[in-house]
Amino acid sequence: MIKMKPRTKDKLYIYYREGKKCFYCSKKILYKQMSIDHFYPLSSGGTHDIFNIVCSCKKCNELKEDKIVENYQKIIIELFLKAVEDDFVKGEGLDISNKELKYLLLDTVRVKNISEEFIFESMNYRFYIKDSKVYKYNYVSSII
Ligand SMILES: [Zn+2]
């Protein structure tokens, strides 16, 4: 299994996002005891994006292993929207400002692809994301 050392900023962010609790069992944990879990497993193509890592106690991390959580799409969208709100998802090399982008991203309703990169969709836009950065987006008339 690939071991990742997340940036301290990201680690602190998820620790506080989870309310200093384990994402899975809600047990209170100390910062120094937290382990990082890739919510959608790396072994299935999950990424290191901030919305795919959660704060977990050691026990849950070991129990979860490489399992895929039921309803994972709904949860990933929630984590993604939270990251957008908290300005952890930004555009790179796009023709719109981050402020405009944020406005569009907050309308995201589904996750289309997870493997290697994330693709999220709103009613009219498709966003391509890598390393928590939107590197491409396009207008699609009525995806639904
Ligand atoms: Zn736990």
Side-chain angles (χ1 to χ4, degrees):
M1 191 195 267
I2 304 161
K3 285 276 175 203
M4 180 198 59
K5 210 171 179 336
R7 292 175 301 170
T8 307
K9 185 183 158 217
D10 292 354
K11 207 176 158 183
L12 276 169
Y13 172 73
I14 67 166
Y15 182 64
Y16 285 100
R17 183 188 66 195
E18 262 77 279
K20 306 179 189 177
K21 291 175 186 165
C22 170
F23 185 80
Y24 300 103
C25 73
S26 298
K27 195 180 93 178
K28 278 258 178 204
I29 40 180
L30 295 172
Y31 180 71
K32 61 179 182 185
Q33 295 174 323
M34 78 183 272
S35 56
I36 297 286
D37 181 60
H38 288 81
F39 180 70
Y40 192 85
L42 290 175
S43 57
S44 299
T47 69
H48 298 300
D49 292 276
I50 192 93
F51 42 86
N52 192 45
I53 53 175
V54 297
C55 167
S56 159
C57 72
K58 291 199 166 53
K59 198 177 160 195
C60 286
N61 203 341
E62 279 163 23
L63 281 172
K64 186 175 167 277
E65 293 178 322
D66 286 344
K67 292 188 202 79
I68 294 171
V69 174
E70 208 181 314
N71 238 347
Y72 68 90
Q73 284 163 313
K74 187 175 168 275
I75 296 167
I76 285 174
I77 288 168
E78 283 170 12
L79 292 172
F80 173 69
L81 290 174
K82 181 89 178 85
V84 171
E85 269 173 34
D86 296 336
D87 292 322
F88 263 86
V89 178
K90 294 195 166 140
E92 195 170 70
L94 302 180
D95 56 355
I96 56 168
S97 70
N98 275 315
K99 202 176 163 190
E100 288 171 293
L101 179 67
K102 184 174 180 176
Y103 183 77
L104 297 179
L105 288 172
L106 288 173
D107 273 336
T108 298
V109 288
R110 96 190 89 221
V111 57
K112 182 90 178 165
N113 179 61
I114 289 169
S115 216
E116 315 283 310
E117 65 176 5
F118 274 89
I119 300 174
F120 289 97
E121 285 180 350
S122 66
M123 296 289 265
N124 290 111
Y125 288 92
R126 189 172 283 150
F127 308 100
Y128 299 80
I129 300 167
K130 199 143 199 173
D131 301 326
S132 304
K133 290 191 180 76
V134 183
Y135 66 93
K136 189 169 90 177
Y137 76 103
N138 41 47
Y139 180 81
V140 191
S141 64
S142 188
I143 286 167
I144 290 166

